[in-house]
Amino acid sequence: TAEQKTHYTAVLRGNLALAAARFKHGAAGLNLDYLARAPLWALGLDFNHGTGHGVGHLLSVHEGPQGIRARPLAGSRREAVLEAGMITSDEPGLYLDGQYGIRLENLLLCVEAQTTPFGRFLAFETLTLTPFDLDAVDPEQLQPHEKAQLNAYHAAVRAALTPHLSPEEAAW
C-alpha cells in the first residue's frame, strides 16, 4: 500500500542518513541516533529499540562498548565514543502491532574521514552487501542526495557480488 511504502521509505532514509554521517571525534551514538529516527519522527512514528550496537570480534553480536540509541543506558555514566575500527549496526525500524514490521539493518565500519583545524572527523563505511527492495520504496519521498547514495550503494553491491553469481543470477 502507499502507507507501507511511506513507512519503508522513511526507515530506508534513516538507514541511509546514519550511514552517510560525518562527525567529529568524541561523538557517541547518542549524538547520531537522531539521523536514523528523523524521517520517522517527521511522520509521528518511532521504534522502541536502539538504532545500533557494537558487533565484536569475539562472536558476540551485541558487543560493546559503543551503541547508537536515543536514550542513555540505565545506570550508564558515559556513553562510549565512536572510534575508527569499530563496527556498529545501523538498524532503524518500524513495528505496527497486528500489521507489519520493517527493519533495515547494515553493518558500518567507523573510519577516519579527515583532520581539519577544527579537529578529527570520522565517517562510516557500509560493510553489508545486500540490496534494498526498491519495489517497497516511494522514490518521490527520497531527496536527490538520498537517491544518489542508494544508487551508489546498489552499484557497489552489484560490483562486489556479480563475480560470484551465475549469469542468470547476475541478470536477475
Side-chain angles (χ1 to χ4, degrees):
T1 69
E3 182 180 61
Q4 289 171 327
K5 281 190 170 199
T6 293
H7 292 164
Y8 185 94
T9 304
V11 173
L12 175 63
R13 291 181 65 220
N15 181 284
L16 293 172
L18 183 57
R22 290 177 66 97
F23 50 95
K24 192 169 179 190
H25 180 263
L30 286 172
N31 305 114
L32 303 181
D33 185 81
Y34 174 76
L35 294 169
R37 291 180 193 267
L40 289 167
W41 284 357
L43 299 172
L45 304 168
D46 199 7
F47 53 95
N48 193 23
H49 60 77
T51 301
H53 55 78
V55 177
H57 67 285
L58 299 175
L59 299 179
S60 176
V61 173
H62 293 92
E63 185 172 306
Q66 82 278 22
I68 300 174
R69 59 183 76 68
R71 295 171 295 285
L73 290 175
S76 176
R77 291 181 175 215
R78 183 169 175 236
E79 292 289 317
V81 167
L82 293 163
E83 299 283 358
M86 287 181 164
I87 297 175
T88 309
S89 65
D90 173 1
E91 50 184 296
L94 178 65
Y95 315 94
L96 301 175
D97 273 352
Q99 296 179 55
Y100 57 89
I102 302 163
R103 186 183 292 206
L104 300 178
E105 181 172 353
N106 280 346
L107 295 181
L108 306 174
L109 173 64
C110 188
V111 297
E112 297 284 342
Q114 71 182 126
T115 299
T116 73
F118 295 95
R120 267 176 67 210
F121 288 82
L122 302 171
F124 291 122
E125 174 186 318
T126 302
L127 299 176
T128 307
L129 297 173
T130 303
F132 292 106
D133 181 2
L134 295 180
D135 289 337
V137 175
D138 179 353
E140 297 299 315
Q141 295 177 26
L142 295 174
Q143 298 296 314
H145 72 277
E146 293 167 328
K147 288 179 184 178
Q149 183 184 357
L150 182 58
N151 289 338
Y153 172 74
H154 280 155
V157 170
R158 176 175 284 282
L161 298 183
T162 298
H164 306 285
L165 302 174
S166 70
E168 297 80 22
E169 291 167 331
W172 174 79

